[in-house]
Amino acid sequence: MKQTKGFTLIELMIVVAIIGILAAVAIPAYTDYLRRSKVAEAVGLLAGLKTPAEEYMATKGTTVVPPIASIGGKTAGKYSTLIGLTSDSSGYSASITDANVTGMIALTYNTTDKNWSCTTGTTGAMATQYVPSSCK
């Protein structure tokens, strides 16, 4: 008796359909994680400026947030552009201009409480689903 080996066409079509369904669910979630990681890069770069800025302010005896050049911070990342002082010099801001994510995040220093707060900028505000919970 002859024994056949392999898969039937129906079995192969079922496997292809299952892979298609999994891809349809996974791809939107993956792109969402990519967008979140781009925003997290900006938050991480801004957070790296906190300690040098506080050290600079303590050393100089001032409450004015220093320019990034004074503390040796990074002014750009792979996805973050235009990292610098906010317009009122109360903290730092980062802009993200990517095809899928556009907006601004600001890290502001409160001189009374001597702490930092992370917010989305008023101009070009970031979509809230991509912003970390500490910045909402």
Side-chain angles (χ1 to χ4, degrees), residues 76-123:
K78 185 173 181 181
Y79 303 107
S80 307
T81 56
L82 244 116
I83 297 174
L85 280 172
T86 55
S87 58
D88 59 356
S89 297
S90 64
Y92 300 109
S93 66
S95 296
I96 299 175
T97 51
D98 187 63
N100 299 316
V101 182
T102 303
M104 183 186 299
I105 291 183
L107 189 66
T108 309
Y109 184 70
N110 185 340
T111 56
T112 309
D113 301 338
K114 298 198 183 323
N115 63 5
W116 296 87
S117 61
C118 179
T119 57
T120 56
T122 51
T123 8

Side-chain angles (χ1 to χ4, degrees), residues 28-47:
Y30 176 71
T31 56
D32 190 47
Y33 286 125
L34 282 177
R35 291 174 183 154
R36 287 174 185 256
S37 69
K38 291 174 184 178
V39 175
E41 180 205 42
V43 173
L45 289 171
L46 290 175

Side-chain angles (χ1 to χ4, degrees), residues 6-24:
F7 298 104
T8 66
L9 183 59
I10 297 296
E11 290 171 332
L12 291 174
M13 289 175 64
I14 290 171
V15 169
V16 169
I18 290 171
I19 291 172
I21 291 168
L22 291 174

